[in-house]
Each structure stands twice: as structure tokens, then as C-alpha cells.
Amino acid sequence: MEQHPSTNATRLPVLVAFGQMVREFRKTRGFSQESFAYYCGLDRSYMGGVERGERNITLANMEIIITALQLKPSEFFAALDDYFSHQQSHGQVIQFRNFSKRAQVHIQQGKHPN
């Protein structure tokens, strides 16, 4: 079954935010969308869909993109936390705030974060 990009009405805020952060970091590093997609080994149209929040990206592709941005996942998600902290629509946004801090405490205690 072919996966179709979501429409404007069905874009999840977390996907839109993820895509915006990818675009921001990509531009900061001087990549065009096409050259970055090539660098990641992904199709340019797929990368465009990710940046527009139209793709429900897999964990594997997420890791490829974050690594290509020369970031640690914790750094990327800290930036995503910051993005969410500035959003007005709290009821429609998944809050990641302080997740990395809670996860770090659990890891240090030998527990898995919930």
C-alpha cells in the first residue's frame, strides 16, 4: 500500500515542527534541500515532504537526517522542545519539554524513561 503525504488539514503539529527544525538546521549548515537529500541518501521530494510536515517519518530516517545535520538526537530534540515551548496552541501540540532531562535522570539511575 502506497503511503500518501498528509494534507494541510491532517498534518500533525509534531511532524510540522520536526520538519521546520530540519529545514532550519539544514539551511544553517548551507545545504540546499536537494543537496541535503542527496547527502542523506533520500529522495528530494521525500525530504520536501518531511520539511513540510507531510511525512510521518520513520525512526531510521530520523536518525539519518539528525546524523547528517551533525547533531546528537538530544541536541535536535532540545531544539524541538524549545520550538514547542513557544507555541500558543498547547492543546494541539505534543509537549516534549523537559523530556531529555527526565530521560537523562532515568538513564543515570539505570531505568528506562517512560
Side-chain angles (χ1 to χ4, degrees):
M1 174 181 274
E2 184 179 342
Q3 179 183 4
H4 298 284
S6 61
T7 64
N8 283 341
T10 61
R11 289 185 194 165
L12 295 174
V14 68
L15 297 178
V16 173
F18 182 89
Q20 288 176 344
M21 296 311 307
V22 169
R23 180 180 288 126
E24 184 178 310
F25 282 119
R26 170 184 60 77
K27 287 182 174 182
T28 298
R29 282 150 178 75
F31 280 104
S32 69
Q33 189 180 78
E34 184 174 9
S35 65
F36 186 66
Y38 180 79
Y39 183 71
C40 291
L42 301 170
D43 187 82
R44 187 211 49 82
S45 63
Y46 176 81
M47 186 62 68
V50 168
E51 288 188 3
R52 290 187 301 274
E54 297 173 346
R55 298 289 183 162
N56 192 359
I57 186 169
T58 66
L59 186 57
N61 284 343
M62 192 181 298
E63 190 270 336
I64 289 168
I65 291 169
I66 292 171
T67 299
L69 291 169
Q70 299 177 345
L71 295 169
K72 295 177 186 176
S74 59
E75 294 169 326
F76 183 88
F77 286 105
L80 195 58
D81 282 347
D82 188 54
Y83 171 86
F84 280 122
S85 71
H86 293 96
Q87 295 303 302
Q88 300 298 319
S89 57
H90 298 297
Q92 297 177 350
V93 178
I94 298 170
Q95 296 294 323
F96 290 105
R97 189 177 320 188
N98 298 319
F99 173 78
S100 59
K101 291 177 190 173
R102 289 192 315 267
Q104 191 64 265
V105 169
H106 284 283
I107 290 168
Q108 290 171 353
Q109 294 173 352
K111 301 176 184 176
H112 294 289
N114 294 347

